[in-house]
Every structure is written in structure tokens, then in C-alpha cells.
Amino acid sequence: MSQQPGQLTFVAPRRAKPARHLADLSMPDRRAAVAELGEKAFRADQLSRHYFERLNADVHAMTDLPAAARDKLSVLLPSLLTPVKELTTDGGTTRKTLWRLFDGALVESVLMRYPDRATMCVSSQAGCGMNCPFCATGQAGLTRNMSTAEIVEQVVSGARALAAGDVPGGPGRVNNVVFMGMGEPLANYKQVIGAVRRMVEPAPHGLGISARGVTVSTVGLVPAIAKLADEGLPVTLALSLHAPDDELRDTLVPINTRWKVSEVLDAAWAYAAKTKRRVSIEYALIKDINDQEWRADLLGKLVRNKLVHVNLIPLNPTPGSKWTASRPEDERAFVRRLEFHGVPVTVRDTRGREIDGACGQLAATE
Ligand code: SAH
């Protein structure tokens, strides 16, 4: 379903839900679920160790479980994601996977391995309702929210590939997770929080990824940012600002018609104050649209002296869009203006462009 310019969709269409999975459940709920199946509660711990620590979801390989228990417990490990297509670049260290969900919905995730770490970029919704005109995902509208386990499974799949040594660089693990794939994570709040909890819970109950290694990126849903600050999960908040003035941001990030630049920045500063975490401001540099020096100056004034880091992203081209990345000299001038204000700034490398796997390019088409 494509959207009219500026149209926002908050509520995902009602669809059949994916099957319940171990990764949907907190530890107490896992014990209850196992008991409901007529098994001893400690089997939940065994199952968790297999799934979250050994990354194994095949009950037949769980030889510490009696055969009858394996059969019963297998209902807690349904297969949720089916790989449809895999594309790699950067000598195999960047890999994008297109997944089919149980109902045919398509999503993508991207694994990026660097010399010192590996980052999994995950989707939180099939499609997106936020309709940012420069983002490929935004153009197709929202299909549905993903479940907690569907989100976690993307990370587990990356972790498995790294552990098995399938990614060049030797066996490794997932160090970072960024919610920068398809979807607006804070529009699927409950499932996303559940997924973050599974990721950061220490093994064997969760994946044991450091909370500071998890980044939730948002267009700026102000009430949800406030709620996130109260979760006691010190994840990194990334705010997709893209313009320092309401006039332009109203068109680039349509949610701005509801919550203005000043409101969303206040929510970000409150988040930083409460979590002591530096907030990332994401700013895609679009040639002659938002890359003027006066805008850099305005941005610098808005964010200077705050617990902040500005991430400039050269715009990644999306099909049919008239927009393109800024000229190198304009990008340099933009950086210089921010540095003049003492604002920490980096230009993000655009991994995966060749495979339409970079920021804003995920469209999940076969
Ligand atoms: N909905 C969330 C997360 C998904 S997008 C959000 O908007 O933050 C992850 C980042 O990629 C966001 O900062 C987004 O604005 C940016 N992005 C989207 N399209 C892009 C494009 N074509 N080029 C560069 N960055 C883009």
C-alpha cells in the first residue's frame, strides 16, 4: 500500500500473528510455557542455553533433553524467518539477507563486519508508516509490525553465521545491533523493547550483547522517547533529524508536523540526561536540499554543549528519487561549521550501497 505525500500510518494493519517463540518470552514466561507443556520448569533454562548461547534451534540436536521432551518443546522454536536471497559485498564482510515471514511479508537485515566488531542492522516492521520521501522503505507503506522473536531471530542468524566462521575474518560474535533496517522501531514499541531485553540479557537467558551496543533509531516519536528513557535500558538513541528547521523537516520527516524540532530535541536531551548516554543525531546530506552552510550553523547552535554526536550520512540513492548526495565540498563545509560550534561529528561510511543495503535503501523486493 503506497502512501500519499506526508501521510502517516501509526497503527499497523491487523494481520495474523506469527507463532509464539521462545524469544518472545521473558525467563519467567518461558518457565510457565514449558510447564504448560507438561515439562519441568528447568527445561526452559536448557532450551534457553541452546538457543541464546549455542544459537541452536533444532531440538533434535539437544541431546541433554529426553526425546519426548524434545518433541513437546519444539513448539517453542517455530521457524519464523525463511531466507529468500542473500547479497554480499566488501569481500563478504557486508551481507544483506531478504527474509520471508510466515505470512509472506518481506523484510531485510544487514550484517556488517569491521576489523574490530560486527554490527547487525535489523528491521522492526515490514515496511514503514513514517513516509520519509528520501527513504526507500517509506515509499511502500506499512505492512505489519514484527514480533519480538522475528526481530531477535535476525540477530541470532547473524550471530550464527559469525560463530560458524561463515563471515571472512574468522569466528566472531555480534557486538552491536542497530534498529536502522526497515520500520520505525518506536511505532512498534512493545515488541522492540522485548527484543532489546532478549539481546541484552546475559547468556544463557539472552544474547548478552551490551546495551550500549544497541542503537534505537527513530524519526522522533516524542512520547515513546520519554517512555524509552524510563525502561532502565541504557541503549543508544539515534534521532533522525535531517533538518534543523521545521519548514524543511515537515517535508523530509513528516512526523515533524506532529512533533516539532524543538520538542524532539528536548526529548533527546531528556533521554541523554536520564541515561547518561550520548544521543546520535542522524542527518542525511541531500544535495541542495538540507546541506547549506546556514543549516549547518543552525544545527550547530541547536546541539552545541549537549551530550550529542552528529552522524552525517551521504544520501544513498533510492529508485525514482530526484535527490542525491551532497557535493564533497558542501559536505566538508557542513562538517567544518559543526566543528566550529564544537559539535562532535562524523560522516558515516555507506556500507552496502552496491547491494541496496545501505541506510534507507531497504525495500525488500525479490
Ligand atoms: N525509522 C527509523 C530507523 C530506520 S532508518 C529512523 O528513521 O530513524 C535508519 C537511518 O537511515 C535513519 O536515520 C534514516 O533517516 C536514514 N535514511 C533513510 N533513508 C536514507 C537514504 N536514502 N540515505 C541515507 N540515509 C537514509
Side-chain angles (χ1 to χ4, degrees):
M1 188 182 48
S2 73
Q3 313 192 90
Q4 295 301 309
Q7 184 192 330
L8 294 163
T9 310
F10 288 98
V11 181
R14 246 173 225 283
R15 311 251 308 223
K17 284 205 162 62
R20 180 177 71 160
H21 186 284
L22 191 76
D24 285 313
L25 307 175
S26 66
M27 205 56 223
D29 288 348
R30 278 175 236 170
R31 295 200 178 101
V34 165
E36 265 167 45
L37 292 168
E39 287 294 324
K40 293 265 178 12
F42 75 88
R43 299 274 181 230
D45 295 73
Q46 287 177 298
L47 215 49
S48 298
R49 187 174 296 279
H50 281 292
Y51 180 75
F52 289 102
E53 196 165 87
R54 302 193 189 130
L55 309 171
N56 169 34
D58 174 12
V59 290
H60 302 292
M62 301 180 185
T63 48
D64 56 339
L65 300 177
R70 281 180 230 167
D71 286 342
K72 272 197 252 171
L73 295 175
S74 66
V75 302
L76 291 175
L77 292 168
S79 157
L80 298 176
L81 310 183
T82 310
V84 179
K85 191 165 72 179
E86 198 146 81
L87 295 173
T88 62
T89 181
D90 303 318
T93 57
T94 301
R95 92 193 220 171
K96 176 174 91 164
T97 310
L98 171 68
W99 303 102
R100 188 190 311 284
L101 309 182
F102 85 100
D103 56 354
L106 298 171
V107 299
E108 292 180 318
S109 62
V110 185
L111 172 62
M112 290 160 282
R113 188 167 204 188
Y114 302 89
D116 58 336
R117 65 187 199 282
T119 300
M120 218 30 233
C121 175
V122 298
S123 294
S124 56
Q125 298 181 310
C128 186
M130 296 296 111
N131 210 1
C132 303
F134 56 90
C135 173
T137 309
Q139 303 321 297
L142 178 61
T143 302
R144 74 162 166 89
N145 282 326
M146 294 178 74
S147 69
T148 287
E150 284 174 328
I151 299 168
V152 172
E153 276 270 87
Q154 297 168 71
V155 181
V156 168
S157 126
R160 236 179 235 139
L162 285 161
D166 290 348
V167 184
R173 59 191 303 272
V174 174
N175 308 95
N176 301 103
V177 176
V178 296
F179 283 84
M180 294 189 182
M182 301 172 74
E184 166 49 44
L186 295 187
N188 184 18
Y189 189 87
K190 196 159 168 262
Q191 306 296 332
V192 164
I193 293 298
V196 173
R197 292 196 187 283
R198 296 304 101 72
M199 291 172 202
V200 305
E201 221 174 321
H205 295 166
L207 290 169
I209 296 169
S210 147
R212 32 188 65 229
V214 177
T215 299
V216 173
S217 181
T218 178
V219 289
L221 306 185
V222 166
I225 294 174
K227 213 160 132 193
L228 184 64
D230 289 331
E231 294 286 349
L233 285 169
V235 296
T236 301
L237 178 72
L239 172 63
S240 298
L241 196 67
H242 305 308
D245 54 305
D246 286 321
E247 193 184 349
L248 179 58
R249 194 169 191 264
D250 279 350
T251 63
L252 289 184
V253 187
I255 196 71
N256 199 70
T257 57
R258 191 158 310 193
W259 292 290
K260 297 294 171 196
V261 170
S262 62
E263 291 172 88
V264 79
L265 285 177
D266 282 347
W269 309 147
Y271 186 88
K274 197 164 263 175
T275 60
K276 312 274 186 287
R277 305 284 301 132
R278 192 173 291 275
V279 172
S280 269
I281 302 284
E282 311 292 293
Y283 199 107
L285 283 173
I286 314 175
K287 182 176 153 193
D288 297 332
I289 300 289
N290 66 351
D291 62 355
Q292 304 82 355
E293 270 193 73
W294 71 265
R295 282 204 161 91
D297 208 38
L298 180 54
L299 176 61
K301 286 179 183 156
L302 289 175
V303 308
R304 71 182 163 198
N305 299 326
K306 302 288 188 189
L307 193 54
V308 75
H309 180 100
V310 173
N311 238 318
L312 300 174
I313 318 167
L315 185 83
N316 295 305
T318 57
S321 170
K322 50 189 182 305
W323 290 331
T324 174
S326 300
R327 299 171 197 90
E329 61 269 28
D330 292 339
E331 180 184 298
R332 280 196 298 272
F334 205 94
V335 170
R336 269 201 308 273
R337 260 348 270 166
L338 289 172
E339 284 173 343
F340 169 81
H341 289 288
V343 174
V345 53
T346 45
V347 179
R348 183 184 292 162
D349 86 285
T350 50
R351 274 243 194 166
R353 260 199 198 199
E354 310 81 346
I355 53 172
D356 284 344
C359 294
Q361 292 188 312
L362 302 184
T365 46
E366 282 182 73

